[in-house]
Short mmCIF file of all heavy atoms in Angstrom, two decimals:
data_model
loop_
_atom_site.label_atom_id
_atom_site.label_comp_id
_atom_site.label_asym_id
_atom_site.label_seq_id
_atom_site.Cartn_x
_atom_site.Cartn_y
_atom_site.Cartn_z
N PHE A 225 -7.84 18.84 143.69
CA PHE A 225 -6.57 18.36 144.41
C PHE A 225 -5.29 18.88 143.46
O PHE A 225 -4.38 19.41 144.13
CB PHE A 225 -6.55 16.87 144.62
CG PHE A 225 -5.09 16.29 144.88
CD1 PHE A 225 -4.46 16.54 146.01
CD2 PHE A 225 -4.39 15.69 143.86
CE1 PHE A 225 -3.24 16.07 146.26
CE2 PHE A 225 -3.19 15.15 144.01
CZ PHE A 225 -2.57 15.26 145.26
N VAL A 226 -5.38 18.47 142.17
CA VAL A 226 -4.20 18.88 141.37
C VAL A 226 -4.00 20.37 141.23
O VAL A 226 -2.88 20.89 141.41
CB VAL A 226 -4.48 18.30 139.93
CG1 VAL A 226 -3.39 18.90 138.98
CG2 VAL A 226 -4.42 16.81 139.92
N GLU A 227 -5.00 21.10 141.26
CA GLU A 227 -4.96 22.63 141.24
C GLU A 227 -4.20 23.09 142.50
O GLU A 227 -3.43 23.97 142.45
CB GLU A 227 -6.34 23.13 141.02
CG GLU A 227 -6.91 23.02 139.58
CD GLU A 227 -8.33 23.56 139.50
OE1 GLU A 227 -8.93 23.99 140.41
OE2 GLU A 227 -8.88 23.51 138.29
N LYS A 228 -4.75 22.65 143.64
CA LYS A 228 -4.14 23.13 144.92
C LYS A 228 -2.71 22.63 145.12
O LYS A 228 -1.90 23.33 145.51
CB LYS A 228 -5.01 22.51 146.06
CG LYS A 228 -6.39 23.02 146.23
CD LYS A 228 -7.20 22.44 147.29
CE LYS A 228 -8.64 23.06 147.45
NZ LYS A 228 -9.43 22.46 148.46
N LEU A 229 -2.46 21.34 144.54
CA LEU A 229 -1.14 20.82 144.67
C LEU A 229 -0.14 21.70 143.97
O LEU A 229 1.00 21.88 144.37
CB LEU A 229 -1.07 19.41 144.16
CG LEU A 229 0.30 18.65 144.32
CD1 LEU A 229 0.50 18.37 145.89
CD2 LEU A 229 0.22 17.36 143.67
N GLU A 230 -0.54 22.15 142.74
CA GLU A 230 0.41 22.93 141.93
C GLU A 230 0.88 24.28 142.54
O GLU A 230 1.89 24.84 142.26
CB GLU A 230 -0.27 23.28 140.59
CG GLU A 230 -0.42 22.10 139.62
CD GLU A 230 -1.05 22.41 138.35
OE1 GLU A 230 -1.84 23.31 138.25
OE2 GLU A 230 -0.84 21.66 137.36
N THR A 231 0.09 24.77 143.46
CA THR A 231 0.43 26.00 144.17
C THR A 231 1.06 25.83 145.55
O THR A 231 1.37 26.76 146.23
CB THR A 231 -0.84 26.90 144.38
OG1 THR A 231 -1.73 26.21 145.12
CG2 THR A 231 -1.38 27.25 142.99
N THR A 232 1.17 24.47 145.86
CA THR A 232 1.84 24.20 147.21
C THR A 232 3.33 24.19 147.06
O THR A 232 3.88 23.69 146.16
CB THR A 232 1.31 22.75 147.65
OG1 THR A 232 -0.10 22.83 147.74
CG2 THR A 232 1.92 22.39 149.02
N GLU A 233 3.86 24.86 148.07
CA GLU A 233 5.40 25.01 148.05
C GLU A 233 6.19 24.34 149.24
O GLU A 233 7.29 24.33 149.32
CB GLU A 233 5.80 26.48 148.03
CG GLU A 233 5.33 27.35 146.91
CD GLU A 233 5.95 26.74 145.65
OE1 GLU A 233 7.12 26.29 145.64
OE2 GLU A 233 5.19 26.79 144.60
N GLN A 234 5.36 23.61 150.07
CA GLN A 234 5.89 22.98 151.23
C GLN A 234 5.65 21.46 151.24
O GLN A 234 4.44 21.16 151.09
CB GLN A 234 5.59 23.56 152.58
CG GLN A 234 5.99 24.97 152.77
CD GLN A 234 7.48 25.16 152.82
OE1 GLN A 234 8.26 24.28 153.27
NE2 GLN A 234 8.02 26.35 152.22
N ALA A 235 6.57 20.56 151.33
CA ALA A 235 6.31 19.12 151.25
C ALA A 235 5.25 18.70 152.27
O ALA A 235 4.27 17.88 151.95
CB ALA A 235 7.64 18.37 151.43
N PRO A 236 5.25 19.08 153.51
CA PRO A 236 4.20 18.67 154.47
C PRO A 236 2.82 19.05 154.03
O PRO A 236 1.78 18.36 154.24
CB PRO A 236 4.59 19.36 155.77
CG PRO A 236 6.07 19.54 155.65
CD PRO A 236 6.29 19.82 154.20
N ASP A 237 2.68 20.21 153.45
CA ASP A 237 1.43 20.76 152.94
C ASP A 237 0.89 19.83 151.80
O ASP A 237 -0.24 19.43 151.67
CB ASP A 237 1.46 22.20 152.49
CG ASP A 237 1.78 23.15 153.67
OD1 ASP A 237 1.49 22.69 154.79
OD2 ASP A 237 2.31 24.16 153.40
N ALA A 238 1.88 19.53 151.00
CA ALA A 238 1.58 18.56 149.86
C ALA A 238 1.03 17.26 150.28
O ALA A 238 0.05 16.71 149.82
CB ALA A 238 2.72 18.43 148.78
N MET A 239 1.82 16.67 151.23
CA MET A 239 1.44 15.44 151.85
C MET A 239 0.02 15.44 152.48
O MET A 239 -0.75 14.50 152.29
CB MET A 239 2.45 14.96 152.81
CG MET A 239 3.85 14.69 152.28
SD MET A 239 4.96 14.38 153.72
CE MET A 239 6.53 14.79 152.88
N ALA A 240 -0.11 16.47 153.27
CA ALA A 240 -1.53 16.56 153.98
C ALA A 240 -2.60 16.70 152.95
O ALA A 240 -3.68 16.11 153.16
CB ALA A 240 -1.48 17.83 154.84
N LEU A 241 -2.38 17.52 151.89
CA LEU A 241 -3.39 17.72 150.89
C LEU A 241 -3.76 16.37 150.19
O LEU A 241 -4.86 16.04 149.94
CB LEU A 241 -2.78 18.65 149.89
CG LEU A 241 -3.87 19.20 148.73
CD1 LEU A 241 -4.98 19.99 149.32
CD2 LEU A 241 -3.07 20.04 147.78
N PHE A 242 -2.72 15.53 149.86
CA PHE A 242 -2.84 14.26 149.26
C PHE A 242 -3.63 13.31 150.22
O PHE A 242 -4.56 12.56 149.72
CB PHE A 242 -1.53 13.64 148.73
CG PHE A 242 -1.81 12.37 147.97
CD1 PHE A 242 -2.27 12.25 146.81
CD2 PHE A 242 -1.49 11.10 148.72
CE1 PHE A 242 -2.49 11.11 146.12
CE2 PHE A 242 -1.68 9.92 148.10
CZ PHE A 242 -2.11 9.90 146.80
N GLN A 243 -3.25 13.31 151.45
CA GLN A 243 -3.89 12.40 152.31
C GLN A 243 -5.39 12.64 152.50
O GLN A 243 -6.20 11.81 152.64
CB GLN A 243 -3.20 12.41 153.73
CG GLN A 243 -3.62 11.27 154.60
CD GLN A 243 -3.45 9.92 153.89
OE1 GLN A 243 -2.32 9.52 153.61
NE2 GLN A 243 -4.56 9.17 153.76
N ARG A 244 -5.67 13.92 152.53
CA ARG A 244 -7.17 14.37 152.66
C ARG A 244 -7.90 13.78 151.33
O ARG A 244 -9.05 13.29 151.50
CB ARG A 244 -7.30 15.85 152.80
CG ARG A 244 -7.03 16.38 154.11
CD ARG A 244 -7.53 17.74 154.30
NE ARG A 244 -6.96 18.74 153.38
CZ ARG A 244 -5.80 19.37 153.62
NH1 ARG A 244 -5.12 19.23 154.77
NH2 ARG A 244 -5.26 20.24 152.76
N TYR A 245 -7.30 14.00 150.32
CA TYR A 245 -7.80 13.45 148.96
C TYR A 245 -8.00 11.93 149.04
O TYR A 245 -9.06 11.34 148.73
CB TYR A 245 -6.92 13.88 147.85
CG TYR A 245 -7.25 13.26 146.53
CD1 TYR A 245 -8.25 13.59 145.74
CD2 TYR A 245 -6.43 12.04 146.17
CE1 TYR A 245 -8.64 12.93 144.56
CE2 TYR A 245 -6.76 11.50 144.90
CZ TYR A 245 -7.79 11.88 144.13
OH TYR A 245 -8.15 11.23 142.93
N ALA A 246 -6.97 11.27 149.45
CA ALA A 246 -6.99 9.74 149.52
C ALA A 246 -7.95 9.26 150.57
O ALA A 246 -8.73 8.25 150.35
CB ALA A 246 -5.60 9.27 149.82
N ASP A 247 -8.12 9.99 151.63
CA ASP A 247 -9.09 9.60 152.67
C ASP A 247 -10.48 9.67 152.22
O ASP A 247 -11.36 8.70 152.50
CB ASP A 247 -9.02 10.59 153.89
CG ASP A 247 -7.84 10.26 154.84
OD1 ASP A 247 -7.28 9.19 154.77
OD2 ASP A 247 -7.43 11.20 155.53
N GLY A 248 -10.69 10.51 151.29
CA GLY A 248 -12.02 10.65 150.66
C GLY A 248 -12.41 9.52 149.82
O GLY A 248 -13.65 9.31 149.50
N LEU A 249 -11.33 8.79 149.38
CA LEU A 249 -11.54 7.63 148.53
C LEU A 249 -11.42 6.33 149.23
O LEU A 249 -11.31 5.22 148.61
CB LEU A 249 -10.57 7.68 147.33
CG LEU A 249 -10.88 8.85 146.31
CD1 LEU A 249 -9.84 8.87 145.19
CD2 LEU A 249 -12.26 8.82 145.73
N GLY A 250 -11.32 6.43 150.56
CA GLY A 250 -11.15 5.35 151.37
C GLY A 250 -9.77 4.77 151.73
O GLY A 250 -9.64 3.63 152.33
N PHE A 251 -8.74 5.54 151.34
CA PHE A 251 -7.38 5.09 151.52
C PHE A 251 -6.79 5.79 152.78
O PHE A 251 -6.59 6.93 152.80
CB PHE A 251 -6.47 5.29 150.32
CG PHE A 251 -6.84 4.45 149.27
CD1 PHE A 251 -7.65 4.93 148.26
CD2 PHE A 251 -6.40 3.16 149.07
CE1 PHE A 251 -7.99 4.27 147.06
CE2 PHE A 251 -6.84 2.39 147.99
CZ PHE A 251 -7.55 2.84 146.96
N SER A 252 -6.43 5.05 153.82
CA SER A 252 -5.88 5.68 155.09
C SER A 252 -4.46 5.77 155.05
O SER A 252 -3.84 6.62 155.90
CB SER A 252 -6.34 4.84 156.29
OG SER A 252 -7.75 4.71 156.29
N PHE A 253 -3.75 5.07 154.24
CA PHE A 253 -2.29 4.98 154.19
C PHE A 253 -1.75 5.22 152.82
O PHE A 253 -2.31 4.80 151.82
CB PHE A 253 -1.78 3.71 154.75
CG PHE A 253 -2.42 3.39 156.14
CD1 PHE A 253 -3.42 2.42 156.19
CD2 PHE A 253 -2.00 3.99 157.30
CE1 PHE A 253 -4.02 2.10 157.47
CE2 PHE A 253 -2.53 3.70 158.52
CZ PHE A 253 -3.50 2.79 158.55
N ALA A 254 -0.61 5.93 152.81
CA ALA A 254 0.00 6.21 151.45
C ALA A 254 1.58 6.26 151.63
O ALA A 254 2.14 6.70 152.61
CB ALA A 254 -0.44 7.55 150.95
N THR A 255 2.23 5.76 150.59
CA THR A 255 3.74 5.82 150.46
C THR A 255 4.05 6.41 149.13
O THR A 255 3.43 5.95 148.05
CB THR A 255 4.34 4.50 150.74
OG1 THR A 255 4.10 3.99 152.05
CG2 THR A 255 5.83 4.58 150.40
N CYS A 256 5.04 7.28 149.06
CA CYS A 256 5.53 7.79 147.85
C CYS A 256 6.97 7.73 147.93
O CYS A 256 7.55 8.31 148.85
CB CYS A 256 5.00 9.31 147.57
SG CYS A 256 5.63 10.03 146.12
N LEU A 257 7.62 7.16 146.90
CA LEU A 257 9.13 7.05 146.93
C LEU A 257 9.69 7.15 145.58
O LEU A 257 9.02 6.98 144.67
CB LEU A 257 9.57 5.81 147.70
CG LEU A 257 9.13 4.46 147.04
CD1 LEU A 257 10.15 3.96 146.04
CD2 LEU A 257 9.14 3.34 148.21
N LYS A 258 11.02 7.46 145.55
CA LYS A 258 11.68 7.47 144.26
C LYS A 258 12.67 6.32 144.29
O LYS A 258 13.06 5.86 145.38
CB LYS A 258 12.53 8.74 144.14
CG LYS A 258 13.75 9.04 145.10
CD LYS A 258 14.29 10.34 144.74
CE LYS A 258 15.61 10.43 145.59
NZ LYS A 258 16.75 9.51 145.08
N VAL A 259 13.08 5.98 143.18
CA VAL A 259 14.04 4.83 142.96
C VAL A 259 15.40 5.24 143.54
O VAL A 259 15.87 6.32 143.23
CB VAL A 259 14.24 4.34 141.44
CG1 VAL A 259 15.34 3.35 141.38
CG2 VAL A 259 12.82 3.83 140.96
N PRO A 260 16.05 4.39 144.40
CA PRO A 260 17.25 4.83 145.00
C PRO A 260 18.36 4.93 143.87
O PRO A 260 18.43 4.11 142.93
CB PRO A 260 17.55 3.67 146.06
CG PRO A 260 16.28 3.00 146.22
CD PRO A 260 15.59 3.09 144.94
N GLU A 261 19.26 5.86 144.21
CA GLU A 261 20.47 6.00 143.24
C GLU A 261 21.45 4.90 143.78
O GLU A 261 21.30 4.40 144.78
CB GLU A 261 20.93 7.40 143.40
CG GLU A 261 20.08 8.47 142.89
CD GLU A 261 20.56 9.96 143.01
OE1 GLU A 261 21.65 10.13 143.46
OE2 GLU A 261 19.73 10.84 142.80
N VAL A 262 22.61 4.86 143.08
CA VAL A 262 23.55 3.72 143.43
C VAL A 262 24.13 4.22 144.84
O VAL A 262 24.62 5.33 145.04
CB VAL A 262 24.68 3.79 142.32
CG1 VAL A 262 25.72 2.93 142.88
CG2 VAL A 262 24.17 3.35 141.09
N GLY A 263 24.04 3.19 145.63
CA GLY A 263 24.63 3.49 147.03
C GLY A 263 23.60 4.18 148.01
O GLY A 263 23.98 4.41 149.15
N GLU A 264 22.48 4.63 147.52
CA GLU A 264 21.50 5.33 148.36
C GLU A 264 20.57 4.36 149.13
O GLU A 264 20.14 3.43 148.52
CB GLU A 264 20.69 6.24 147.49
CG GLU A 264 19.88 7.27 148.25
CD GLU A 264 19.23 8.32 147.24
OE1 GLU A 264 19.06 8.02 146.07
OE2 GLU A 264 18.90 9.39 147.69
N ASP A 265 20.40 4.60 150.27
CA ASP A 265 19.52 3.76 151.20
C ASP A 265 18.14 3.97 150.76
O ASP A 265 17.64 5.09 150.56
CB ASP A 265 19.72 4.13 152.76
CG ASP A 265 18.94 3.25 153.55
OD1 ASP A 265 19.24 2.09 153.69
OD2 ASP A 265 17.91 3.72 154.25
N LEU A 266 17.32 2.94 150.76
CA LEU A 266 15.87 2.91 150.44
C LEU A 266 15.27 3.94 151.31
O LEU A 266 14.29 4.67 150.83
CB LEU A 266 15.33 1.58 150.37
CG LEU A 266 13.78 1.44 150.08
CD1 LEU A 266 13.55 2.02 148.67
CD2 LEU A 266 13.25 0.14 150.25
N ALA A 267 15.46 3.93 152.61
CA ALA A 267 14.73 4.75 153.54
C ALA A 267 14.83 6.20 153.24
O ALA A 267 13.93 7.06 153.50
CB ALA A 267 15.20 4.57 154.99
N ALA A 268 15.97 6.61 152.68
CA ALA A 268 16.23 7.92 152.37
C ALA A 268 15.53 8.36 151.17
O ALA A 268 15.43 9.62 150.88
CB ALA A 268 17.75 8.15 152.15
N CYS A 269 14.94 7.51 150.43
CA CYS A 269 14.19 7.79 149.17
C CYS A 269 12.66 7.92 149.43
O CYS A 269 12.03 8.23 148.43
CB CYS A 269 14.41 6.63 148.20
SG CYS A 269 16.17 6.54 147.69
#
């Protein structure tokens, strides 16, 4: 997974790659976020 991720250049491809990996370990759902900057909406992060 890590090797394939390093060569991925599009966010949707990276997400799909991770979800396939997570599915294999029994996780159907995933969230990844960054800490909001001052004044930044959480949804945008």
